[in-house]
Coordinates of all heavy atoms in Angstrom, one line a residue:
M1 N -48.6 -9.8 23.5 CA -48.6 -9.7 22.1 C -48.0 -11.0 21.5 O -47.1 -11.6 22.1 CB -47.7 -8.5 21.7 CG -47.6 -8.4 20.2 SD -46.8 -6.8 19.8 CE -47.8 -6.3 18.6
H2 N -48.6 -11.4 20.4 CA -48.2 -12.7 19.8 C -47.0 -12.4 18.9 O -47.0 -11.6 17.9 CB -49.3 -13.3 19.0 CG -50.5 -13.5 19.9 ND1 -50.5 -14.6 20.8 CD2 -51.7 -12.9 20.1 CE1 -51.7 -14.6 21.4 NE2 -52.4 -13.5 21.0
P3 N -45.9 -13.2 19.1 CA -44.7 -13.0 18.2 C -44.9 -13.3 16.8 O -44.3 -12.7 15.9 CB -43.6 -13.9 18.8 CG -44.3 -14.7 19.9 CD -45.7 -14.2 20.1
T4 N -45.8 -14.2 16.5 CA -46.0 -14.6 15.0 C -46.6 -13.5 14.3 O -46.3 -13.2 13.1 CB -46.8 -15.9 14.9 OG1 -48.0 -15.7 15.7 CG2 -46.0 -17.1 15.4
L5 N -47.6 -12.8 14.9 CA -48.2 -11.7 14.3 C -47.2 -10.5 14.0 O -47.3 -9.8 13.0 CB -49.4 -11.2 15.1 CG -50.6 -12.1 15.3 CD1 -51.6 -11.6 16.2 CD2 -51.2 -12.4 13.9
R6 N -46.3 -10.3 14.9 CA -45.4 -9.3 14.8 C -44.4 -9.6 13.6 O -44.1 -8.7 12.8 CB -44.6 -9.1 16.0 CG -43.7 -8.0 16.1 CD -43.1 -7.8 17.4 NE -42.7 -6.4 17.6 CZ -42.0 -6.0 18.6 NH1 -41.7 -6.8 19.6 NH2 -41.6 -4.8 18.7
V7 N -44.0 -10.8 13.5 CA -43.1 -11.2 12.4 C -43.8 -11.0 11.0 O -43.3 -10.6 10.0 CB -42.6 -12.6 12.6 CG1 -41.8 -13.1 11.4 CG2 -41.7 -12.7 13.8
L8 N -45.1 -11.4 11.0 CA -45.8 -11.4 9.7 C -46.1 -10.0 9.3 O -46.1 -9.7 8.1 CB -47.1 -12.2 9.8 CG -47.0 -13.7 10.0 CD1 -48.3 -14.3 10.2 CD2 -46.3 -14.3 8.7
G9 N -46.3 -9.1 10.2 CA -46.6 -7.7 9.9 C -45.4 -6.9 9.5 O -45.5 -5.8 8.9
A10 N -44.2 -7.3 9.9 CA -43.0 -6.6 9.7 C -42.5 -6.8 8.3 O -42.8 -7.7 7.6 CB -41.9 -7.0 10.7
R11 N -41.7 -5.8 7.8 CA -41.1 -5.9 6.5 C -39.9 -6.9 6.6 O -39.3 -7.1 7.6 CB -40.5 -4.5 6.0 CG -41.6 -3.5 5.8 CD -41.0 -2.2 5.3 NE -39.9 -1.8 6.2 CZ -38.9 -1.1 5.8 NH1 -38.8 -0.6 4.6 NH2 -37.9 -0.7 6.6
V12 N -39.5 -7.4 5.4 CA -38.3 -8.2 5.3 C -37.1 -7.3 5.5 O -37.0 -6.2 5.0 CB -38.3 -8.9 4.0 CG1 -37.0 -9.8 3.8 CG2 -39.5 -9.8 3.8
H13 N -36.2 -7.8 6.3 CA -35.0 -7.0 6.6 C -34.2 -6.8 5.3 O -33.8 -7.8 4.6 CB -34.1 -7.7 7.7 CG -32.8 -7.1 7.9 ND1 -32.7 -5.9 8.5 CD2 -31.5 -7.4 7.6 CE1 -31.4 -5.5 8.6 NE2 -30.7 -6.4 8.0
Q14 N -33.8 -5.6 5.0 CA -33.0 -5.3 3.9 C -31.7 -4.7 4.4 O -31.7 -3.6 5.0 CB -33.8 -4.2 3.0 CG -33.2 -4.0 1.7 CD -33.4 -5.1 0.7 OE1 -33.9 -6.2 1.1 NE2 -33.1 -4.9 -0.5
P15 N -30.6 -5.3 4.2 CA -29.3 -4.8 4.7 C -29.0 -3.5 4.0 O -29.3 -3.2 2.9 CB -28.3 -5.9 4.4 CG -28.9 -6.7 3.4 CD -30.4 -6.6 3.5
L16 N -28.3 -2.6 4.8 CA -28.0 -1.3 4.3 C -26.8 -1.3 3.3 O -26.6 -0.5 2.5 CB -27.7 -0.3 5.4 CG -28.8 0.0 6.3 CD1 -28.4 0.9 7.5 CD2 -29.9 0.7 5.5
I17 N -25.9 -2.3 3.5 CA -24.7 -2.4 2.7 C -25.1 -3.1 1.4 O -25.8 -4.1 1.3 CB -23.6 -3.2 3.4 CG1 -22.3 -3.1 2.6 CG2 -24.0 -4.6 3.7 CD1 -21.1 -3.5 3.4
K18 N -24.6 -2.5 0.3 CA -24.8 -3.1 -1.0 C -23.5 -3.6 -1.6 O -22.5 -2.8 -1.7 CB -25.4 -2.1 -2.0 CG -26.7 -1.4 -1.5 CD -27.8 -2.3 -1.6 CE -29.1 -1.6 -1.2 NZ -30.1 -2.4 -0.6
F19 N -23.4 -4.8 -2.0 CA -22.2 -5.3 -2.6 C -22.4 -5.3 -4.1 O -23.4 -5.7 -4.7 CB -22.0 -6.8 -2.2 CG -21.6 -6.9 -0.7 CD1 -22.5 -7.3 0.2 CD2 -20.3 -6.6 -0.3 CE1 -22.2 -7.4 1.6 CE2 -20.0 -6.7 1.0 CZ -20.9 -7.1 1.9
P20 N -21.3 -4.9 -4.8 CA -21.4 -4.9 -6.3 C -21.4 -6.4 -6.7 O -21.1 -7.3 -6.0 CB -20.2 -4.2 -6.7 CG -19.3 -4.3 -5.6 CD -20.1 -4.4 -4.4
G21 N -21.7 -6.6 -8.0 CA -21.6 -7.9 -8.5 C -20.2 -8.5 -8.6 O -19.3 -8.0 -7.8
K22 N -20.0 -9.4 -9.4 CA -18.6 -10.0 -9.6 C -17.6 -8.9 -9.9 O -17.9 -8.1 -10.8 CB -18.7 -11.1 -10.6 CG -17.4 -11.8 -10.7 CD -17.4 -12.9 -11.7 CE -16.1 -13.6 -11.8 NZ -16.1 -14.8 -12.5
R23 N -16.5 -8.9 -9.3 CA -15.5 -7.9 -9.5 C -14.8 -8.1 -10.9 O -14.5 -9.3 -11.3 CB -14.4 -8.0 -8.5 CG -14.9 -7.5 -7.1 CD -13.7 -7.4 -6.2 NE -14.2 -7.0 -4.9 CZ -13.7 -7.3 -3.8 NH1 -12.6 -8.0 -3.7 NH2 -14.2 -6.9 -2.6
S24 N -14.7 -7.1 -11.6 CA -14.0 -7.2 -12.9 C -12.9 -6.1 -12.9 O -13.2 -4.9 -12.7 CB -15.0 -7.0 -14.1 OG -15.6 -5.8 -14.0
W25 N -11.7 -6.4 -13.1 CA -10.6 -5.5 -13.2 C -10.4 -5.0 -14.6 O -10.5 -5.7 -15.6 CB -9.3 -6.1 -12.7 CG -9.5 -6.7 -11.3 CD1 -9.6 -8.0 -10.9 CD2 -9.6 -5.9 -10.1 NE1 -9.8 -8.1 -9.6 CE2 -9.8 -6.9 -9.0 CE3 -9.5 -4.6 -9.8 CZ2 -9.9 -6.5 -7.7 CZ3 -9.6 -4.2 -8.4 CH2 -9.8 -5.2 -7.4
P26 N -10.2 -3.7 -14.8 CA -10.0 -3.2 -16.1 C -8.7 -3.7 -16.8 O -7.7 -4.0 -16.1 CB -9.9 -1.6 -15.9 CG -9.5 -1.5 -14.5 CD -10.0 -2.7 -13.7
S27 N -8.8 -4.0 -18.1 CA -7.7 -4.6 -18.8 C -6.6 -3.5 -19.1 O -5.5 -3.9 -19.3 CB -8.1 -5.3 -20.0 OG -8.8 -4.3 -20.9
T28 N -7.0 -2.3 -19.1 CA -6.0 -1.2 -19.4 C -6.0 -0.3 -18.2 O -7.0 0.0 -17.5 CB -6.4 -0.4 -20.7 OG1 -7.7 0.2 -20.5 CG2 -6.4 -1.3 -21.9
P29 N -4.8 0.3 -17.9 CA -4.7 1.2 -16.8 C -5.5 2.5 -17.1 O -5.6 3.0 -18.2 CB -3.2 1.5 -16.7 CG -2.6 1.1 -18.0 CD -3.5 0.1 -18.6
A30 N -6.0 3.1 -16.0 CA -6.7 4.3 -16.1 C -5.8 5.5 -16.3 O -4.6 5.4 -15.9 CB -7.6 4.6 -14.9
T31 N -6.2 6.5 -17.0 CA -5.3 7.7 -17.2 C -5.3 8.4 -15.9 O -6.3 8.6 -15.2 CB -5.9 8.6 -18.3 OG1 -7.2 8.9 -18.0 CG2 -5.9 7.9 -19.7
P32 N -4.1 8.9 -15.5 CA -4.0 9.6 -14.2 C -4.7 11.0 -14.3 O -4.7 11.6 -15.4 CB -2.5 9.8 -14.0 CG -1.9 9.5 -15.3 CD -2.8 8.7 -16.1
H33 N -5.3 11.4 -13.2 CA -6.0 12.7 -13.2 C -6.0 13.2 -11.8 O -5.8 12.4 -10.8 CB -7.4 12.6 -13.7 CG -8.3 11.6 -12.9 ND1 -8.2 10.3 -13.1 CD2 -9.2 11.9 -12.0 CE1 -9.1 9.7 -12.3 NE2 -9.7 10.6 -11.5
A34 N -6.2 14.5 -11.6 CA -6.2 15.1 -10.3 C -7.5 14.8 -9.6 O -8.5 14.4 -10.2 CB -6.0 16.6 -10.4
H35 N -7.5 14.8 -8.3 CA -8.7 14.6 -7.5 C -9.7 15.7 -7.8 O -9.3 16.8 -8.0 CB -8.3 14.6 -6.0 CG -9.4 14.1 -5.2 ND1 -10.4 14.9 -4.8 CD2 -9.7 12.9 -4.7 CE1 -11.3 14.2 -4.0 NE2 -10.9 13.0 -4.0
P36 N -11.0 15.4 -8.0 CA -12.0 16.4 -8.3 C -12.1 17.5 -7.3 O -12.4 18.6 -7.6 CB -13.3 15.6 -8.4 CG -12.9 14.2 -8.5 CD -11.5 14.0 -7.9
A37 N -11.8 17.2 -6.0 CA -11.9 18.2 -5.0 C -10.6 19.0 -4.7 O -10.5 19.8 -3.9 CB -12.3 17.6 -3.7
A38 N -9.5 18.7 -5.6 CA -8.3 19.4 -5.4 C -8.4 20.9 -5.8 O -9.3 21.2 -6.6 CB -7.2 18.7 -6.3
P39 N -7.6 21.7 -5.2 CA -7.6 23.1 -5.6 C -7.3 23.3 -7.1 O -6.6 22.5 -7.6 CB -6.6 23.8 -4.7 CG -6.4 22.8 -3.6 CD -6.7 21.5 -4.1
P40 N -7.8 24.4 -7.7 CA -7.6 24.6 -9.1 C -6.1 24.6 -9.5 O -5.7 24.1 -10.6 CB -8.3 25.9 -9.4 CG -9.3 26.1 -8.3 CD -8.7 25.4 -7.1
E41 N -5.3 25.2 -8.7 CA -3.9 25.3 -9.0 C -3.2 24.0 -9.0 O -2.3 23.7 -9.9 CB -3.1 26.3 -8.1 CG -3.1 25.9 -6.6 CD -4.2 26.5 -5.8 OE1 -5.1 27.1 -6.4 OE2 -4.2 26.3 -4.6
F42 N -3.6 23.0 -8.2 CA -3.1 21.7 -8.2 C -3.6 20.9 -9.4 O -2.9 20.2 -10.1 CB -3.4 20.9 -7.0 CG -2.7 21.4 -5.7 CD1 -3.3 21.5 -4.5 CD2 -1.3 21.7 -5.8 CE1 -2.7 22.0 -3.4 CE2 -0.7 22.1 -4.7 CZ -1.3 22.2 -3.5
Q43 N -4.9 21.1 -9.8 CA -5.4 20.5 -11.0 C -4.7 20.9 -12.2 O -4.4 20.1 -13.1 CB -6.9 20.7 -11.1 CG -7.7 20.0 -10.0 CD -9.2 20.3 -10.2 OE1 -9.6 21.1 -11.0 NE2 -10.0 19.6 -9.4
K44 N -4.4 22.3 -12.3 CA -3.7 22.8 -13.4 C -2.3 22.2 -13.5 O -1.8 21.8 -14.6 CB -3.7 24.3 -13.4 CG -3.0 24.9 -14.6 CD -3.0 26.5 -14.4 CE -2.3 27.1 -15.6 NZ -0.9 26.8 -15.7
R45 N -1.6 22.2 -12.3 CA -0.2 21.7 -12.3 C -0.2 20.2 -12.7 O 0.7 19.8 -13.4 CB 0.4 21.9 -10.9 CG 1.8 21.7 -10.9 CD 2.5 22.0 -9.5 NE 2.0 23.2 -8.9 CZ 1.9 23.5 -7.6 NH1 2.3 22.5 -6.8 NH2 1.5 24.6 -7.2
F46 N -1.2 19.5 -12.2 CA -1.2 18.1 -12.5 C -1.4 17.9 -14.0 O -0.8 17.0 -14.7 CB -2.4 17.4 -11.8 CG -2.4 15.9 -11.9 CD1 -1.6 15.1 -11.0 CD2 -3.1 15.3 -12.9 CE1 -1.6 13.8 -11.1 CE2 -3.0 13.9 -13.0 CZ -2.3 13.1 -12.1
S47 N -2.3 18.6 -14.6 CA -2.5 18.5 -16.1 C -1.3 18.9 -16.9 O -1.0 18.3 -17.9 CB -3.8 19.3 -16.5 OG -3.6 20.7 -16.3
D48 N -0.5 19.9 -16.4 CA 0.7 20.3 -17.0 C 1.7 19.2 -17.0 O 2.4 18.9 -18.0 CB 1.3 21.6 -16.4 CG 0.4 22.8 -16.6 OD1 -0.5 22.7 -17.5 OD2 0.6 23.8 -15.9
V49 N 1.9 18.5 -15.8 CA 2.8 17.5 -15.7 C 2.4 16.3 -16.6 O 3.2 15.6 -17.2 CB 3.0 17.0 -14.2 CG1 3.8 15.8 -14.1 CG2 3.6 18.2 -13.4
A50 N 1.1 15.9 -16.6 CA 0.6 14.8 -17.4 C 0.8 15.1 -18.9 O 1.1 14.2 -19.6 CB -0.8 14.6 -17.1
A51 N 0.7 16.3 -19.3 CA 0.9 16.6 -20.7 C 2.3 16.6 -21.1 O 2.7 16.3 -22.2 CB 0.3 18.0 -21.0
A52 N 3.2 16.9 -20.1 CA 4.7 17.0 -20.4 C 5.3 15.6 -20.4 O 6.3 15.4 -21.1 CB 5.4 17.9 -19.4
S53 N 4.7 14.6 -19.7 CA 5.3 13.3 -19.7 C 5.0 12.5 -21.0 O 4.0 12.7 -21.6 CB 4.8 12.5 -18.5 OG 3.4 12.3 -18.6
P54 N 5.9 11.7 -21.4 CA 5.7 10.9 -22.6 C 4.6 9.9 -22.4 O 4.3 9.4 -21.2 CB 7.0 10.2 -22.8 CG 7.8 10.2 -21.6 CD 7.3 11.4 -20.8
S55 N 3.9 9.6 -23.4 CA 2.7 8.7 -23.3 C 3.0 7.3 -22.9 O 2.2 6.6 -22.2 CB 1.9 8.7 -24.6 OG 2.7 8.1 -25.6
G56 N 4.2 6.8 -23.2 CA 4.6 5.4 -22.8 C 5.3 5.3 -21.5 O 5.6 4.2 -21.1
A57 N 5.5 6.4 -20.8 CA 6.3 6.3 -19.6 C 5.5 5.6 -18.5 O 4.3 5.9 -18.3 CB 6.6 7.7 -19.1
G58 N 6.1 4.6 -17.8 CA 5.5 3.9 -16.7 C 4.6 2.8 -17.1 O 4.0 2.2 -16.3
K59 N 4.5 2.5 -18.4 CA 3.6 1.4 -18.8 C 4.4 0.2 -19.3 O 4.7 0.0 -20.5 CB 2.7 1.9 -20.0 CG 1.7 2.9 -19.6 CD 0.8 3.3 -20.7 CE -0.2 4.4 -20.3 NZ -1.0 4.8 -21.4
G60 N 4.8 -0.6 -18.3 CA 5.5 -1.8 -18.7 C 6.9 -1.7 -19.2 O 7.4 -2.5 -20.0
E61 N 7.6 -0.6 -18.9 CA 9.0 -0.5 -19.3 C 9.9 -1.5 -18.6 O 9.8 -1.6 -17.4 CB 9.5 0.9 -19.0 CG 8.9 2.0 -19.9 CD 9.5 3.4 -19.6 OE1 10.4 3.5 -18.9 OE2 8.9 4.3 -20.1
T62 N 10.6 -2.2 -19.4 CA 11.5 -3.2 -18.7 C 12.9 -2.7 -18.6 O 13.8 -3.3 -18.0 CB 11.5 -4.5 -19.6 OG1 12.0 -4.2 -20.9 CG2 10.2 -5.1 -19.6
G63 N 13.2 -1.5 -19.1 CA 14.6 -1.0 -19.0 C 14.9 -0.6 -17.6 O 16.1 -0.6 -17.2
S64 N 14.0 -0.3 -16.7 CA 14.3 0.1 -15.4 C 14.2 -1.1 -14.4 O 14.5 -0.9 -13.2 CB 13.3 1.2 -14.9 OG 12.0 0.7 -14.9
V65 N 13.9 -2.2 -14.8 CA 13.9 -3.4 -14.0 C 15.3 -3.9 -13.7 O 16.1 -4.0 -14.6 CB 13.0 -4.5 -14.6 CG1 13.0 -5.8 -13.7 CG2 11.6 -4.0 -14.8
I66 N 15.6 -4.2 -12.4 CA 16.9 -4.7 -12.1 C 16.8 -6.2 -11.8 O 15.8 -6.7 -11.3 CB 17.5 -3.9 -10.9 CG1 16.6 -4.1 -9.7 CG2 17.7 -2.5 -11.2 CD1 17.2 -3.5 -8.4
S67 N 17.9 -6.9 -12.0 CA 17.9 -8.3 -11.7 C 18.7 -8.7 -10.5 O 18.5 -9.7 -9.9 CB 18.4 -9.1 -13.0 OG 19.7 -8.6 -13.3
E68 N 19.7 -7.8 -10.1 CA 20.5 -8.1 -9.0 C 20.4 -6.9 -8.0 O 20.3 -5.8 -8.5 CB 21.9 -8.3 -9.4 CG 22.1 -9.6 -10.3 CD 21.8 -10.9 -9.6 OE1 21.8 -10.9 -8.4 OE2 21.5 -11.8 -10.3
F69 N 20.6 -7.1 -6.7 CA 20.4 -6.1 -5.7 C 21.5 -5.0 -5.9 O 21.3 -3.8 -5.6 CB 20.4 -6.6 -4.3 CG 21.8 -7.0 -3.8 CD1 22.6 -6.1 -3.1 CD2 22.3 -8.3 -4.0 CE1 23.8 -6.4 -2.6 CE2 23.5 -8.6 -3.5 CZ 24.3 -7.7 -2.8
W70 N 22.7 -5.3 -6.4 CA 23.8 -4.3 -6.5 C 23.5 -3.4 -7.7 O 24.2 -2.4 -7.8 CB 25.1 -5.0 -6.5 CG 25.3 -5.9 -7.7 CD1 25.6 -5.6 -9.0 CD2 25.2 -7.3 -7.6 NE1 25.6 -6.7 -9.8 CE2 25.4 -7.8 -8.9 CE3 25.0 -8.2 -6.6 CZ2 25.4 -9.2 -9.2 CZ3 25.0 -9.6 -6.9 CH2 25.2 -10.0 -8.2
E71 N 22.6 -3.7 -8.5 CA 22.3 -2.8 -9.6 C 21.3 -1.7 -9.2 O 21.2 -0.7 -9.9 CB 21.6 -3.6 -10.8 CG 22.6 -4.6 -11.4 CD 21.9 -5.4 -12.4 OE1 20.7 -5.3 -12.6 OE2 22.6 -6.2 -13.1
A72 N 20.7 -1.9 -8.1 CA 19.8 -0.9 -7.5 C 20.6 0.2 -6.9 O 21.7 0.0 -6.5 CB 18.8 -1.5 -6.5
P73 N 20.0 1.4 -6.7 CA 20.6 2.5 -6.0 C 21.0 2.0 -4.5 O 20.3 1.2 -4.0 CB 19.6 3.6 -5.9 CG 18.7 3.3 -7.0 CD 18.7 1.8 -7.2
E74 N 22.1 2.5 -4.0 CA 22.6 2.0 -2.8 C 21.7 2.2 -1.6 O 21.7 1.5 -0.6 CB 23.9 2.8 -2.5 CG 24.8 2.0 -1.5 CD 26.2 2.6 -1.4 OE1 26.7 3.1 -2.4 OE2 26.8 2.5 -0.3
R75 N 20.7 3.2 -1.7 CA 19.8 3.4 -0.6 C 18.8 2.2 -0.4 O 18.2 2.1 0.6 CB 19.0 4.7 -0.8 CG 18.1 4.7 -2.0 CD 17.3 6.0 -2.1 NE 16.4 6.0 -3.1 CZ 16.6 6.4 -4.4 NH1 17.7 7.0 -4.6 NH2 15.7 6.4 -5.3
F76 N 18.7 1.4 -1.5 CA 17.8 0.2 -1.4 C 18.5 -1.1 -0.9 O 17.9 -2.1 -0.7 CB 17.1 -0.1 -2.7 CG 16.2 1.1 -3.1 CD1 16.5 1.7 -4.3 CD2 15.2 1.5 -2.4 CE1 15.7 2.8 -4.7 CE2 14.3 2.5 -2.8 CZ 14.6 3.1 -4.0
W77 N 19.8 -1.0 -0.7 CA 20.5 -2.2 -0.3 C 20.3 -2.4 1.2 O 19.9 -1.5 1.9 CB 22.0 -2.0 -0.5 CG 22.5 -1.9 -1.9 CD1 21.7 -1.9 -3.0 CD2 23.8 -1.7 -2.3 NE1 22.5 -1.7 -4.1 CE2 23.8 -1.6 -3.7 CE3 25.0 -1.6 -1.7 CZ2 25.0 -1.5 -4.4 CZ3 26.2 -1.5 -2.4 CH2 26.2 -1.4 -3.8
R78 N 20.4 -3.6 1.6 CA 20.3 -3.9 3.0 C 21.5 -3.3 3.8 O 22.6 -3.3 3.3 CB 20.4 -5.4 3.3 CG 19.1 -6.1 3.1 CD 19.2 -7.5 3.6 NE 18.0 -8.2 3.3 CZ 17.9 -9.5 3.5 NH1 18.9 -10.2 3.9 NH2 16.8 -10.1 3.2
P79 N 21.3 -2.8 5.0 CA 22.4 -2.2 5.7 C 23.4 -3.3 6.1 O 22.9 -4.5 6.4 CB 21.8 -1.6 6.9 CG 20.4 -2.2 7.0 CD 20.0 -2.6 5.6
R80 N 24.6 -3.0 6.1 CA 25.6 -4.0 6.5 C 25.5 -4.4 8.0 O 25.2 -3.5 8.8 CB 27.0 -3.5 6.3 CG 27.3 -3.4 4.8 CD 28.8 -3.0 4.6 NE 29.1 -3.1 3.2 CZ 30.3 -2.8 2.8 NH1 31.3 -2.4 3.6 NH2 30.5 -2.8 1.5
V81 N 25.6 -5.6 8.2 CA 25.5 -6.1 9.6 C 26.9 -6.2 10.2 O 27.8 -6.8 9.6 CB 24.8 -7.5 9.7 CG1 24.8 -8.0 11.1 CG2 23.5 -7.5 9.1
R82 N 27.1 -5.5 11.3 CA 28.4 -5.5 11.9 C 28.6 -6.7 12.8 O 27.6 -7.2 13.3 CB 28.7 -4.2 12.7 CG 27.8 -4.0 13.9 CD 28.2 -2.7 14.6 NE 27.4 -2.5 15.7 CZ 27.6 -3.0 16.9 NH1 28.7 -3.7 17.2 NH2 26.8 -2.7 17.9
E83 N 29.8 -7.1 13.1 CA 30.0 -8.2 14.0 C 29.7 -7.8 15.4 O 30.1 -6.7 15.8 CB 31.5 -8.6 13.9 CG 31.8 -9.2 12.5 CD 31.1 -10.5 12.3 OE1 30.9 -11.3 13.3 OE2 30.6 -10.8 11.2
L84 N 29.1 -8.6 16.2 CA 28.8 -8.4 17.6 C 30.0 -8.7 18.4 O 30.7 -9.7 18.2 CB 27.6 -9.2 18.0 CG 26.3 -8.9 17.4 CD1 25.2 -9.8 17.8 CD2 25.8 -7.4 17.7
E85 N 30.2 -7.9 19.5 CA 31.3 -8.2 20.4 C 30.8 -9.2 21.4 O 29.6 -9.4 21.6 CB 31.7 -6.9 21.1 CG 32.3 -5.8 20.2 CD 32.6 -4.6 20.9 OE1 32.6 -4.5 22.2 OE2 32.8 -3.5 20.3
E86 N 31.8 -9.8 22.0 CA 31.5 -10.9 23.0 C 30.6 -10.4 24.2 O 29.7 -11.0 24.6 CB 32.8 -11.5 23.5 CG 32.6 -12.8 24.2 CD 32.1 -13.9 23.4 OE1 32.4 -14.0 22.2 OE2 31.3 -14.8 23.9
S87 N 30.9 -9.1 24.6 CA 30.2 -8.5 25.7 C 28.7 -8.3 25.3 O 27.8 -8.4 26.1 CB 30.8 -7.2 26.2 OG 30.8 -6.3 25.1
E88 N 28.5 -7.9 24.0 CA 27.1 -7.7 23.6 C 26.3 -9.0 23.5 O 25.2 -9.0 23.9 CB 27.1 -7.0 22.2 CG 27.7 -5.6 22.2 CD 27.8 -5.0 20.8 OE1 28.2 -5.8 19.9 OE2 27.5 -3.9 20.6
I89 N 27.0 -10.0 23.1 CA 26.3 -11.3 23.0 C 26.0 -11.8 24.4 O 24.9 -12.3 24.7 CB 27.3 -12.4 22.3 CG1 27.4 -12.0 20.9 CG2 26.7 -13.8 22.4 CD1 28.4 -12.8 20.1
D90 N 26.9 -11.6 25.4 CA 26.6 -12.0 26.8 C 25.5 -11.2 27.3 O 24.6 -11.8 28.1 CB 27.9 -11.8 27.6 CG 29.0 -12.8 27.3 OD1 28.6 -13.9 26.7 OD2 30.2 -12.5 27.6
A91 N 25.4 -9.9 27.0 CA 24.3 -9.1 27.5 C 23.0 -9.5 27.0 O 22.0 -9.6 27.7 CB 24.6 -7.6 27.1
V92 N 22.9 -9.9 25.7 CA 21.7 -10.4 25.1 C 21.3 -11.7 25.7 O 20.1 -12.0 26.1 CB 21.8 -10.5 23.6 CG1 20.6 -11.2 23.0 CG2 21.9 -9.1 23.0
L93 N 22.2 -12.6 25.9 CA 21.9 -14.0 26.4 C 21.5 -13.9 27.8 O 20.7 -14.8 28.3 CB 23.1 -14.9 26.2 CG 23.4 -15.3 24.7 CD1 24.6 -16.1 24.6 CD2 22.2 -16.0 24.1
S94 N 22.0 -13.0 28.6 CA 21.7 -12.9 30.0 C 20.5 -12.1 30.3 O 20.1 -11.9 31.4 CB 22.8 -12.4 30.8 OG 23.1 -11.1 30.5
G95 N 19.9 -11.5 29.2 CA 18.7 -10.6 29.4 C 19.1 -9.2 29.9 O 18.2 -8.5 30.5
G96 N 20.3 -8.8 29.8 CA 20.8 -7.5 30.2 C 21.3 -7.5 31.6 O 21.8 -6.5 32.1
A97 N 21.4 -8.7 32.3 CA 21.9 -8.7 33.6 C 23.4 -8.6 33.7 O 24.0 -8.2 34.7 CB 21.5 -10.0 34.3
S98 N 24.1 -8.8 32.6 CA 25.6 -8.8 32.6 C 26.1 -7.4 32.1 O 27.3 -7.4 31.7 CB 26.2 -9.9 31.8 OG 25.8 -9.7 30.4
L99 N 25.3 -6.4 32.1 CA 25.8 -5.1 31.6 C 26.8 -4.5 32.6 O 27.6 -3.6 32.1 CB 24.6 -4.2 31.3 CG 23.7 -4.6 30.2 CD1 22.5 -3.6 30.1 CD2 24.5 -4.6 28.9
R100 N 26.8 -4.8 33.8 CA 27.7 -4.2 34.8 C 28.7 -5.2 35.3 O 28.6 -6.3 35.4 CB 26.9 -3.6 35.9 CG 26.0 -2.5 35.4 CD 25.3 -1.9 36.5 NE 24.4 -0.9 35.9 CZ 23.6 -0.1 36.6 NH1 23.7 0.0 37.9 NH2 22.8 0.7 36.0

């Protein structure tokens, strides 16, 4: 069989993946909503919570922004580093051979 005839008779390869055009990000945030496949009781509960929350909540509020780490709740602070004992330093430097 001649390869040139096979190429000419075949269709042009069309990739299965389709890329959208240039990405454009929305300028305003989308309104929160429940997943369409969520059970009805979750959708109802979500709509109740969304209706009860103020409309400006979570949209660029600067009152909750902290500028120093000690203003944050203590659970977000870095854990205190304790001082290492000399025996622990020797164990690390020797690769664990000085444990005994």
Side-chain angles (χ1 to χ4, degrees):
M1 178 170 228
H2 301 284
T4 54
L5 294 176
R6 188 172 201 187
V7 171
L8 292 175
R11 294 184 307 156
V12 176
H13 174 71
Q14 190 75 348
L16 295 176
I17 187 168
K18 304 285 186 209
F19 292 101
K22 184 175 180 172
R23 291 185 181 154
S24 61
W25 303 104
S27 60
T28 58
T31 57
H33 61 279
H35 190 275
E41 62 268 8
F42 289 137
Q43 289 182 354
K44 181 181 179 300
R45 191 177 314 152
F46 189 88
S47 63
D48 292 345
V49 170
S53 67
S55 61
K59 293 184 180 177
E61 290 183 7
T62 57
S64 64
V65 176
I66 59 170
S67 58
E68 299 293 340
F69 76 92
W70 58 79
E71 295 173 355
E74 200 167 331
R75 67 178 183 264
F76 296 120
W77 294 4
R78 278 190 183 169
R80 289 187 175 178
V81 178
R82 67 177 178 87
E83 293 295 322
L84 296 175
E85 297 177 10
E86 194 66 33
S87 61
E88 292 174 321
I89 295 172
D90 290 339
V92 169
L93 292 177
S94 67
S98 66
L99 292 177
R100 296 184 187 186

